[in-house]
Amino acid sequence: SGGGGGAGYCESIFDVSSITTGAVVIGVGSIWASGSHNGPTNSTFTATGVTTMTATGGAHVSNGSTTGGAGGVATGGQLNLNGEIGAAGLGSSQGFARGGRGAGDFGSTFGSGIIGTSGSSVESRGNPGYCKIYEYSDASASLVGEKLVSHQMFSGVDATGAATWTKPAGVTKIRVYVQGAGGGSHGNGGFSAG
């Protein structure tokens, strides 16, 4: 079957002088359960007074389709990038079509679609999303003269689902990177999770 689609990616710079926390959701890759796929899910970042950033997961490939999964999309960022389409497979029982790469700086690790299945019954969960936040003090709107104070990384490797970003003391601006989760691929006899 075809490879799962790569996830969307977005990034933005925010003034957080009057913000203390933000809500983070980390996307998880598809998994096959009870005869149907679940996921992938989106990754998001939101806080009071800022535009919600959303990076959708790459599309899964089901029922042995040889078409690669569509790439995920992103909205709400100052930069929004689509994920890569998964490669086409040779047949429902002949897998190994490359999964689409997730857009963004960690696209080879996070947010990539899984390779096409070869009809085996192997299941695996991988290629989760993430949210990375760099925290600055005394910075201009474009981060000229930036002073990096710290950073926080929320990833599906460590945990999935909802989390809370808390602003450290002295931080006035943040640069936020959001990556969705990769798509999976389901052949005749099994499903690879993305």
Side-chain angles (χ1 to χ4, degrees), residues 57-149:
H60 73 284
V61 176
S62 60
N63 300 323
S65 172
T66 58
T67 303
V73 299
T75 59
Q78 294 163 345
L79 173 67
N80 299 295
L81 300 174
N82 294 342
E84 183 181 39
I85 297 169
L90 299 174
S92 60
S93 62
Q94 299 172 340
F96 309 113
R98 185 179 56 77
R101 288 184 288 263
D105 55 355
F106 291 131
S108 61
T109 304
F110 293 95
S112 291
I114 200 72
I115 62 172
T117 62
S118 59
S120 68
S121 58
V122 173
E123 290 187 23
S124 62
R125 182 188 297 271
N127 309 311
Y130 74 88
C131 177
K132 177 176 62 172
I133 303 172
Y134 286 142
E135 300 151 337
Y136 301 89
S137 67
D138 302 322
S140 70
S142 60
L143 300 182
V144 174
E146 64 192 44
K147 182 179 177 186
L148 180 62
V149 174

Side-chain angles (χ1 to χ4, degrees), residues 17-90:
S17 300
S18 60
I19 297 171
T20 57
T21 62
V24 175
V25 175
I26 303 303
V28 295
S30 301
I31 192 162
W32 186 254
S34 302
S36 64
H37 76 92
N38 295 308
T41 59
N42 302 336
S43 294
T44 61
F45 175 83
T46 189
T48 303
V50 305
T51 302
T52 298
M53 301 170 67
T54 302
T56 69
H60 73 284
V61 176
S62 60
N63 300 323
S65 172
T66 58
T67 303
V73 299
T75 59
Q78 294 163 345
L79 173 67
N80 299 295
L81 300 174
N82 294 342
E84 183 181 39
I85 297 169
L90 299 174

Side-chain angles (χ1 to χ4, degrees), residues 18 72 154 160 189 191:
S18 60
F154 303 89
T160 56
F191 179 85

